Amino acid sequence: MSRNNLSTRDQILDAAASLIRNIGLGHTTTKEIASAAGLSEAALYRHFVDKAELFLCVVGERLPQLVAALKDLPSRAGQRTVRSNLEDLARVALPFYDQTLPMATSLFAEPELLARHQEHMRQKNVGPHRSVEQLAAYVRAEQRLGRVNARCDPEAVAALLIGSCIGRALMRRFLGEQDSPGADDRFIKSVVRTLVEGLAPPTHD
């Protein structure tokens, strides 16, 4: 879609996403975002209360859709295999955290903006904790169907999978390296295989 066909709100989000990726959240001002979108700063504030709200919308609407994948996951309980479902989720989660971590870590350099961002998350009930909660809901659904060991802790399972994706994304950002898609897929399969072997229901002789 050409820029002329975009709504004003979409133009702002696209400009914000590009600036945040290129110069970091801390150096991105609403004035710069408005200028990059070809708008006045006043026009920007007609669509977003502040930079914290704008950042949340960039994460929610301009990055790989982890939220949508997680929302749909509990309904997939009993379908395909647990391993396939977890691998599919990890293939969305890893690129999501690859893109969001540089943005999110910028918040810690701006305490005031971080506080406003935290308040927005509380009001909208969004944030990284929701990823763990929704994945845990899927694990519980599979436990009820007998496809996951009832003794497993769903929250721990979710934290291990989501945490693995966050850890891999964070590590390579620190090292300034980028793994190939093939290496990422091998990592995902290895992590999920390790989890699934521990999630398997007990066998009865």
Side-chain angles (χ1 to χ4, degrees), residues 11-166:
Q11 290 180 42
I12 294 168
L13 286 173
D14 285 349
S18 178
L19 283 169
I20 292 170
R21 288 192 190 103
N22 291 330
I23 65 175
L25 180 65
H27 296 290
T28 300
T29 65
T30 52
K31 183 176 181 179
E32 289 171 323
I33 294 169
S35 177
L39 304 166
S40 67
E41 196 170 7
L44 183 149
Y45 283 114
R46 285 197 287 271
H47 295 271
F48 302 96
V49 174
D50 55 22
K51 193 166 79 168
E53 182 186 20
L54 182 50
F55 172 73
L56 276 177
C57 291
V58 167
V59 171
E61 301 176 36
R62 288 299 184 272
L63 295 172
Q65 291 303 298
L66 178 60
V67 173
L70 283 163
K71 185 177 180 181
D72 179 61
L73 192 59
S75 68
R76 296 172 66 179
Q79 301 178 27
R80 302 172 67 213
T81 65
V82 174
R83 178 177 296 188
S84 296
N85 290 334
L86 294 180
E87 285 179 354
D88 286 350
L89 176 66
R91 290 189 182 101
V92 179
L94 184 53
F96 175 84
Y97 289 116
D98 261 333
Q99 293 189 43
T100 55
L101 277 175
M103 299 182 188
T105 52
S106 298
L107 285 168
F108 293 101
E110 297 190 48
E112 183 180 348
L113 181 59
L114 176 61
R116 282 187 287 160
H117 178 65
Q118 290 167 336
E119 181 58 29
H120 274 295
M121 288 195 295
R122 283 191 289 270
Q123 290 177 358
K124 296 178 181 292
N125 192 28
V126 296
H129 64 292
R130 294 289 293 142
S131 300
V132 173
E133 290 172 359
Q134 290 171 304
L135 180 49
Y138 164 74
V139 175
R140 279 192 289 273
E142 293 287 18
Q143 285 178 320
R144 289 192 290 271
L145 295 172
R147 300 211 306 167
V148 164
N149 193 324
R151 296 180 63 183
C152 291
D153 181 340
E155 281 71 24
V157 173
L160 286 167
L161 183 57
I162 296 296
S164 294
C165 293
I166 293 173

